[in-house]
């Protein structure tokens, strides 16, 4: 049950519903048993199989005493009003009992449905919230398709297996318990025999269901792989078609799909075995009771009359369906347990970047950003090693180096996408960890090499970081970013939907929207991952002009790929294998005739 502690916690927030559900089910069971209890003795009295009782017995709180009292009341009903009237009265009583049974059963469902939906809503919300706060490093290790699978397929599996089994896990044990208590009350001797057989059947069912959890976990992993291949296919269709790689991708997809089909078939075979097997075992137990109990009644040693024995059998038959449902529920819970574990792996993942106790707001950026003996390692791999750097307010610092030198990681430390492993990162002389994450990120904007846009309107994308902005402010930001002209040429202007990831726009248009978004936020600090490296000449000029406009009077950290764009940077930092190997402005580094000069020469040759 440890895996389901979160679900049980959510259910604990609905104690009132659980109590009502329990009460309604209890009443439903009692009315069902009441209608059955009077049937066997009444039919025996009505059709003359047993003499009517005309002397009121002394009441005893036992099975025999209750049965005798019931026979006396039924005898009075028949003798006072006639057999036809009595038959009609019993029929009406049974109808009322069954009506009340089903009424309370419906009320139980009405209470259960909002409870189930509440749990699933909370689970989805908590899972999405955790995805938002997890560090970026967490997602570099995970397949995007697998994350989506956990958010969709695994959550659905929990809903349809665990939560759907909730009804059976509460109602059916209650039904079985009440019937067993009634059976023990009717005949302790027979019930002792029964209590030996039932655990044996439960053990058999448990053995069969044991492997379902492992199979379900494998199935969920395969589902995640399937979604990952689909995501890669949709994102790389141009390359797949250009390289005639359709067969490679299709073979990969079909292989995973075939394996998933096999696993699900095996799971369904095992799950579908639950109901017929539990019914067969139930009937075996029933025949054993008929044989054993029948001998006791015939020998007069059961302490039970024939009508009581018939009632006992009728009551026992009411266990079979709840037992079937309960065994199905156990199978479903085993299936859902694997999905719960996969969801918990995300929900329990450590949030390595979070506010410290008593963290304060960074209200404004006044002086500088300082890297003091900063090192950063990821899983024992050193990415940055003993970095010392001061970025003064209003200055532009460019980060240069070969791929994997640590440029992006260094820039990512400022918005606390990662925290330093060693040393200190300070803003205005205060360790960045003493500020709230939200207030730090409020002071900066980021423009990435690949434009990140959302399936929304142009205005909605520009106003992402400043949702309260007026349309005039959005338009002004777009004008400074050289985006206003192309936006107004769209049929719906700023209300134009740009499609998934901005697919309805050109590369240059997408990048200018991200610049407009950064401008509208109007932060004092900018982090720029060379935004022009993948654009054509005309788009590059427009975007570069927009960047130049944006960088005025701001502190800028520029990750440089095209070295021609950083000639006027106040300081250029050259990184190699996580260390600063050269620093200075463009002219100084050229005169040093070192690594930077070689990079410049290589790009000029190109």
């Amino acid at each position: 049950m440890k895996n389901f502690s979160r679900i049980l916690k959510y259910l604990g927030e609905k104690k009132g519903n659980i109590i009502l559900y329990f009460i309604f089910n209890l009443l439903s069971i009692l009315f069902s048993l009441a209608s059955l209890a009077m049937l066997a003795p009444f039919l025996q009295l009505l059709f003359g199989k047993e003499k009517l009782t005309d002397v009121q017995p002394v009441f005893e709180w036992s099975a025999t005493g209750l049965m005798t009292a019931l026979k006396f009341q039924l005898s009075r009903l028949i003798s006072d009003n006639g057999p036809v009237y009595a038959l009609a009265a019993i029929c009406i009583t049974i109808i009322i009992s069954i009506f009340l049974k089903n009424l309370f059963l419906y009320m139980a469902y009405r209470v259960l449905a909002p409870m189930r939906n509440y749990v699933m809503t909370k689970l989805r919300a908590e899972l999405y919230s955790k995805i938002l706060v997890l560090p970026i490093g967490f997602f570099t290790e995970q397949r995007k398709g697998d994350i989506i699978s956990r958010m969709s397929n695994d959550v659905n599996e929990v809903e349809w297996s665990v939560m759907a089994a909730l009804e059976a896990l509460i109602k059916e044990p209650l039904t079985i318990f009440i019937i067993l208590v009634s059976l023990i009350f009717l005949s302790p001797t027979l019930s002792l025999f029964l209590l030996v057989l039932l655990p044996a059947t439960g053990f058999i069912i448990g053995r069969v269901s044991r492997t379902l959890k492992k199979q379900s976990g494998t199935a969920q992993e395969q589902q995640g792989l399937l979604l990952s291949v689909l995501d890669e296919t949709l994102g790389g269709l141009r390359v797949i078609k250009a390289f005639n790689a359709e067969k490679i991708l299709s073979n990969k997809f079909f292989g995973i799909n075939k394996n998933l089909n096999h696993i699900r078939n095996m799971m369904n075979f095992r799950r579908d075995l639950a109901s017929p097997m539990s019914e067969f075992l139930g009937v075996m137990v029933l025949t054993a009771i008929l044989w054993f109990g029948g001998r006791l009644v015939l020998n007069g040693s059961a302490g039970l009359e024939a009508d009581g024995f018939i009632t006992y059998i009728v009551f026992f038959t009411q266990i079979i369906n709840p037992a079937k449902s309960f065994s199905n529920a156990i199978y479903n819970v085993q299936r859902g347990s694997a999905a719960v574990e996969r969801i918990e792996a995300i929900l329990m993942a450590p949030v390595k970047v979070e506010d410290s106790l008593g963290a304060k707001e960074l209200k404004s950026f006044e002086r500088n950003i300082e890297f003091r003996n900063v090192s950063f390692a990821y899983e024992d791999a050193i990415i940055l090693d003993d970095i010392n750097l001061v970025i003064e307010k209003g200055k532009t610092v460019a980060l240069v180096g070969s791929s994997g030198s640590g440029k992006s990681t260094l820039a990512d430390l400022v918005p606390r996408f990662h925290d330093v492993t060693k040393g200190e990162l300070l803003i205005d002389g205060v360790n960045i960890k003493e500020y709230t994450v939200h207030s730090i990120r409020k002071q900066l904007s980021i423009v990435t090499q690949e434009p990140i846009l959302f399936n929304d309107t142009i205005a909605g994308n520009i106003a992402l970081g400043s949702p309260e902005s007026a349309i005039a402010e959005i338009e002004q930001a777009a004008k400074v970013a050289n985006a206003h002209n192309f936006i107004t040429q769209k049929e719906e202007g700023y209300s134009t939907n740009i499609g998934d990831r901005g697919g309805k726009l050109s590369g240059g248009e997408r990048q200018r929207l991200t610049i407009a978004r950064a401008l509208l936020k109007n932060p004092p600090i900018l982090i720029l991952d060379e935004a022009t490296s993948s654009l054509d000449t005309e788009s590059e000029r427009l975007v570069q002009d927009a960047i130049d406009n944006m960088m005025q009077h701001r502190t800028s950290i520029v990750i440089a790929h095209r070295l021609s764009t950083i000639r006027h940077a106040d300081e250029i930092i050259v990184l190699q294998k996580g260390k600063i190997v050269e620093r200075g402005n463009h002219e100084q580094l050229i005169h040093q005739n070192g690594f930077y000069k070689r990079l410049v020469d290589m790009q000029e040759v190109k």
Side-chain angles (χ1 to χ4, degrees):
M1 292 301 289
K2 185 180 177 183
N3 289 343
F4 302 102
S5 58
R6 190 178 304 274
I7 291 173
L8 294 175
K9 183 186 79 172
Y10 296 153
L11 288 172
E13 296 169 10
K14 292 287 184 179
K15 291 187 181 73
N17 289 54
I18 293 174
I19 292 168
L20 282 174
Y21 183 70
F22 183 86
I23 291 171
F24 288 146
N25 272 309
L26 180 62
L27 290 170
S28 173
I29 295 163
L30 291 176
F31 277 110
S32 175
L33 293 180
S35 64
L36 294 171
M38 66 177 70
L39 197 57
F42 173 74
L43 292 175
Q44 283 206 321
L45 291 168
L46 183 65
F47 294 110
K49 298 293 182 184
E50 191 171 328
K51 290 183 180 181
L52 299 179
T53 304
D54 53 4
V55 179
Q56 183 169 0
V58 178
F59 181 76
E60 293 179 10
W61 187 251
S62 65
T64 304
L66 284 176
M67 199 62 70
T68 305
L70 180 60
K71 285 178 185 177
F72 172 72
Q73 296 298 330
L74 292 173
S75 296
R76 283 188 58 186
L77 181 65
I78 295 169
S79 59
D80 291 350
N81 302 285
V84 176
Y85 178 89
L87 181 61
I90 289 297
C91 288
I92 291 170
T93 303
I94 291 173
I95 288 171
I96 292 171
S97 295
I98 296 301
F99 171 77
L100 290 173
K101 170 208 167 182
N102 285 285
L103 174 65
F104 286 118
L105 187 61
Y106 172 71
M107 294 302 293
Y109 289 149
R110 283 292 296 263
V111 170
L112 179 66
M115 191 161 57
R116 279 180 57 185
N117 292 330
Y118 172 79
V119 169
M120 298 316 303
T121 301
K122 285 275 289 183
L123 186 62
R124 287 190 185 97
E126 194 165 336
L127 188 56
Y128 186 74
S129 298
K130 187 60 182 280
I131 286 172
L132 288 177
V133 300
L134 280 170
I136 288 175
F138 176 84
F139 300 99
T140 59
E141 299 177 5
Q142 302 287 333
R143 291 175 178 267
K144 191 195 304 181
D146 190 58
I147 297 290
I148 294 170
S149 178
R150 296 185 197 213
M151 187 76 187
S152 54
N153 294 319
D154 287 350
V155 170
N156 288 338
E157 185 67 46
V158 171
E159 181 171 8
W160 293 113
S161 57
V162 179
M163 295 309 297
L166 183 64
E167 174 199 345
L169 292 173
I170 295 176
K171 178 190 169 189
E172 309 308 353
L174 179 63
T175 305
I176 293 168
F177 175 76
I178 291 173
I179 294 174
L180 283 175
V181 169
S182 304
L183 293 175
I184 292 169
F185 187 74
L186 284 170
S187 175
T189 307
L190 268 179
S191 300
L192 182 63
F193 180 68
L194 179 64
L195 291 175
V196 172
L197 293 176
L198 285 181
T201 60
F203 175 77
I204 294 170
I205 291 170
R207 291 286 295 180
V208 174
S209 68
R210 189 170 295 175
T211 57
L212 264 179
K213 178 182 174 181
K214 183 178 178 181
Q215 288 177 331
S216 181
T218 306
Q220 298 302 325
E221 289 172 7
Q222 292 296 307
Q223 185 73 40
L225 282 173
L226 208 65
L227 284 175
S228 293
V229 174
L230 177 60
D231 178 66
E232 290 171 351
T233 302
L234 293 174
L237 271 176
R238 287 174 181 269
V239 174
I240 291 168
K241 290 177 181 295
F243 285 85
N244 290 324
E246 291 94 340
K247 189 168 184 180
I248 295 172
L249 269 295
S250 62
N251 286 342
K252 186 177 181 181
F253 186 90
F254 295 157
I256 298 170
N257 200 29
K258 186 177 179 181
N259 191 31
L260 180 61
N261 174 64
H262 173 71
I263 294 168
R264 284 189 166 168
N265 281 338
M266 297 305 295
M267 285 171 58
N268 289 337
F269 294 158
R270 196 169 288 270
R271 184 201 62 198
D272 295 340
L273 184 61
S275 181
M277 185 173 69
S278 58
E279 182 172 346
F280 174 71
L281 292 173
V283 170
M284 283 187 67
V285 174
L286 175 62
T287 53
I289 289 172
L290 275 171
W291 178 78
F292 182 73
R295 286 181 60 196
L296 292 177
V297 171
L298 292 172
N299 295 334
S301 56
L304 199 63
E305 300 296 329
D307 54 351
F309 179 61
I310 293 169
T311 303
Y312 189 97
I313 295 299
V314 171
F315 274 23
F316 179 77
T317 60
Q318 300 305 299
I319 285 184
I320 294 176
N321 278 334
K324 284 171 59 179
S325 299
F326 186 61
S327 63
N328 275 332
I330 291 173
Y331 275 61
N332 285 331
V333 167
Q334 288 287 357
R335 269 187 65 174
S337 180
V340 171
E341 282 188 2
R342 282 166 52 80
I343 292 170
E344 283 290 318
I346 292 179
L347 291 175
M348 298 303 292
V351 180
K352 296 177 182 177
V353 178
E354 55 187 342
D355 292 339
S356 58
L357 289 174
K360 58 188 178 182
E361 296 284 315
L362 175 59
K363 297 188 183 299
S364 61
F365 173 56
E366 300 295 340
R367 299 195 308 276
N368 59 36
I369 300 169
E370 180 181 356
F371 294 80
R372 187 181 294 171
N373 306 121
V374 166
S375 295
F376 178 78
Y378 188 73
E379 291 187 350
D380 299 327
I382 297 174
I383 311 299
L384 297 172
D385 187 11
D386 198 27
I387 301 295
N388 286 281
L389 171 65
V390 177
I391 304 171
E392 298 293 341
K393 183 177 181 180
K395 300 295 184 180
T396 296
V397 171
L399 305 177
V400 174
S402 54
S403 180
S405 61
K407 304 186 297 296
S408 296
T409 302
L410 182 64
D412 284 347
L413 293 175
V414 179
R416 286 193 72 188
F417 292 156
H418 314 286
D419 273 338
V420 300
T421 307
K422 196 170 113 180
E424 287 185 295
L425 174 55
L426 305 101
I427 295 181
D428 293 340
V430 178
N431 192 309
I432 199 170
K433 294 180 182 178
E434 296 182 26
Y435 295 122
T436 63
V437 174
H438 183 267
S439 67
I440 293 168
R441 292 173 184 172
K442 200 171 180 180
Q443 299 297 321
L444 55 86
S445 281
I446 297 175
V447 178
T448 57
Q449 183 176 1
E450 180 186 354
I452 307 297
L453 297 171
F454 301 90
N455 197 335
D456 195 358
T457 63
I458 288 175
N461 272 281
I462 294 175
L464 181 69
S466 311
E468 70 288 344
S469 300
I471 188 65
E473 295 174 303
I474 293 172
E475 289 179 0
Q476 180 57 33
K479 287 175 182 175
V480 178
N482 289 334
H484 181 71
N485 288 340
F486 86 77
I487 294 171
T488 53
Q489 291 172 11
K490 303 289 181 185
E491 189 174 339
E492 298 179 58
Y494 283 83
S495 297
T496 302
N497 186 286
I498 62 173
D500 187 37
R501 301 180 187 180
K504 296 179 181 179
L505 304 177
S506 70
E509 290 171 342
R510 288 198 297 269
Q511 196 62 282
R512 279 178 276 167
L513 284 193
T514 65
I515 293 169
R517 181 171 64 199
L519 281 165
L520 183 62
K521 190 178 177 184
N522 195 26
I525 303 169
L526 289 174
I527 298 175
L528 305 172
D529 189 346
E530 186 67 71
T532 63
S533 59
S534 59
L535 302 177
D536 60 78
T537 304
E538 183 179 359
S539 296
E540 181 183 357
R541 183 180 58 78
L542 289 169
V543 170
Q544 190 61 54
D545 288 346
I547 290 173
D548 292 340
N549 292 336
M550 181 171 60
M551 290 172 64
Q552 290 179 19
H553 313 299
R554 289 186 172 88
T555 306
S556 302
I557 301 172
V558 181
I559 300 171
H561 301 281
R562 292 190 183 182
L563 302 183
S564 59
T565 62
I566 57 160
R567 289 176 181 272
H568 303 296
D570 295 293
E571 186 174 19
I572 298 170
I573 304 297
V574 183
L575 290 164
Q576 193 69 0
K577 296 182 179 179
K579 290 179 176 286
I580 297 177
V581 293
E582 294 176 15
R583 62 198 309 165
N585 60 33
H586 177 73
E587 287 75 18
Q588 290 170 340
L589 291 175
I590 291 295
H591 288 310
Q592 286 182 24
N593 199 26
F595 186 77
Y596 179 79
K597 175 70 163 52
R598 288 200 300 275
L599 288 176
V600 171
D601 291 343
M602 287 170 64
Q603 290 197 4
E604 286 178 349
V605 169
K606 289 180 181 179

